[in-house]
Amino acid sequence: MHIQKLGPAIGALVTDIDLRQALNSEQQTHLHEALIEHQVLFFEGQDITPHQQRDLAAAFGDLHIHPVYPQHPEVAEIILLDTSMDNPPDNDNWHTDVTFIETPPLGALLSAQHLPSSGGDTLWASGIAAYEALSAPMRALLDPLSAEHDFLQSFPAWRFARTPQERIRWEAARDKHPPVTHPVIRTHPVSGRRGLFVNEGFTSRIVELQKKESDALLAFLREHIAKPEFTVRWRWKRHDLAFWDNRLTQHYATADYLPQRRIMHRATILGDKPF
Ligand code: OGA
Ligand code: MN
C-alpha cells in the first residue's frame, strides 16, 4: 500500500489496497501504524458491503452499537446516517464520537454510499496539533483538569425522541448514559502523544472550575480546535472510505446539501479509558 500525507497536521490518502479482502497481518500492522501517525486515513473506490465494513472494523477491536442512531437492517454494528429533509444532518459541529461513555471509541470507519451533487464534505481536526500550538502556561492550566461529557448535549429529546418508538429507545439510552468524566488533555495510549480531549458535541463543563470560567475556557477551546491549520477537509466521492483515530481527533460534517440526500455507513471500534 502507498501512503501520501495530505497536510502537516493530519490526514493521509492510502492507495493500492483493497479493503473488501480480509487484511493480512502485515497490512493490518501497516494500516494501524499509519492511523496512529496520520490520525485520519482516506481510501478511494472501496465498494464495500456492510458485512465487509463490519469485518474490517472488527479486525481493530470490539465494535460499538449506537444507542440512538438507526442500524443497518442486516448488520447492527453499522450505523445508517441517511440525511435528507425528513432527517436533517446533526453532525455539523466539532465532535469526537461517543465520548459520553467510559471507554470512547478508538476509531471509526465511514463509507460514502450516496452523495449530493456537491457539498457534504467532512473535516477532521487534530487534538494533538491543537494542544501543541498552545502556550506553555495554557497547557499547564489545562493539564490537570477534567471535564464532564453528556449524552444529552448531542442527543436531546426534541430531536431524537419525536415518535413514541424513538422515545422508548431514547429513554433507555438516556438512563444508561449518565454524564461521565474524562481528562481535558489525554495521552494517546499507543503513541504517548498528548492532545485536547474536550469537544462541542458532548463536553458540558470543566469539573474543577466555576461555571463562568468553564464556559469561557470551553468556548475558547471550541474555537481553537477549528483553526484551519489543525484540520483536513475531505470532499467525498461515492465509495470513498475514511478511517479515523477517534482518540485525539474531532470531526465536522458540513450540512450544506439539503434538500438533497446523503447516505453514509459507519462502523465504530471501542477504545479504552482515557488517561
Ligand atoms: C460520524 C459523523 C460525518 C459525516 O459518522 O460520526 O460525524 O460526514 N459523520 O457523515
Ligand atoms: Mn461523528
Side-chain angles (χ1 to χ4, degrees):
M1 78 186 78
H2 182 78
I3 295 170
Q4 181 192 337
K5 220 167 141 69
L6 295 175
I10 183 170
L13 176 66
V14 184
T15 51
D16 304 316
I17 184 168
D18 181 356
L19 296 178
R20 291 169 304 182
Q21 317 267 333
L23 300 175
N24 63 38
S25 65
E26 196 188 334
Q27 286 172 316
Q28 196 177 324
T29 305
H30 197 169
L31 264 193
H32 186 246
E33 286 170 0
L35 181 71
I36 305 303
E37 183 178 349
H38 302 291
Q39 303 166 76
V40 55
L41 304 175
F42 301 101
F43 305 82
E44 299 174 308
Q46 305 287 341
D47 184 3
I48 198 169
T49 67
H51 290 90
Q52 288 166 338
Q53 186 178 349
R54 176 196 60 197
D55 294 348
L56 174 63
F60 294 88
D62 292 337
L63 303 186
H64 179 246
I65 296 193
H66 203 278
V68 173
Y69 284 140
Q71 300 167 358
H72 189 278
E74 283 157 39
V75 188
E77 296 90 343
I78 298 288
I79 297 172
L80 289 181
L81 296 166
D82 182 349
T83 43
S84 61
M85 290 301 270
D86 297 335
N87 181 40
D90 68 312
N91 282 326
D92 51 330
N93 60 66
W94 283 103
H95 65 281
T96 303
D97 286 340
V98 197
T99 63
F100 56 84
I101 63 175
E102 291 287 344
T103 56
L106 161 173
L109 279 76
L110 189 66
S111 163
Q113 297 293 312
H114 178 89
L115 293 169
S117 52
S118 73
D121 296 359
T122 309
L123 292 86
W124 280 263
S126 168
I128 297 170
Y131 176 67
E132 289 177 351
L134 295 170
S135 66
M138 187 55 129
R139 290 199 305 268
L141 169 68
L142 297 174
D143 278 337
L145 298 178
S146 52
E148 196 173 82
H149 293 242
D150 190 346
F151 163 83
L152 292 175
Q153 187 158 310
S154 275
F155 296 103
W158 67 264
R159 172 69 178 78
F160 291 92
R162 288 179 301 188
T163 65
Q165 248 177 336
E166 280 181 359
R167 180 101 207 165
I168 291 167
R169 194 158 177 241
W170 177 86
E171 279 182 2
R174 178 200 59 192
D175 295 349
K176 198 179 157 207
H177 298 292
V180 297
T181 298
H182 295 305
V184 167
I185 304 302
R186 86 181 276 193
T187 303
H188 195 288
V190 181
S191 69
R193 297 176 80 187
R194 289 170 64 68
L196 187 62
F197 193 62
V198 291
N199 69 87
E200 182 179 0
F202 298 111
T203 311
S204 45
R205 65 186 183 99
I206 296 179
V207 174
E208 295 83 356
L209 300 184
Q210 295 170 3
K211 180 166 188 327
K212 284 190 174 174
E213 294 171 338
S214 167
D215 289 349
L217 195 50
L218 288 176
F220 163 72
L221 293 171
R222 278 201 302 270
E223 187 186 314
H224 182 63
I225 190 73
K227 205 168 142 69
E229 285 80 350
F230 312 143
T231 72
V232 63
R233 179 175 184 138
W234 188 252
R235 188 173 159 208
W236 296 96
K237 303 173 300 301
R238 184 161 190 244
H239 296 148
D240 283 353
L241 185 141
F243 183 5
W244 66 94
D245 186 331
N246 191 63
R247 290 169 287 204
L248 280 170
T249 63
Q250 304 192 17
H251 53 281
Y252 183 113
T254 313
D256 55 358
Y257 50 85
L258 293 181
Q260 294 186 73
R261 189 176 180 190
R262 179 177 183 269
I263 306 174
M264 312 292 279
H265 287 173
R266 184 178 106 201
T268 313
I269 308 157
L270 280 166
D272 44 20
K273 193 170 161 55
F275 58 88

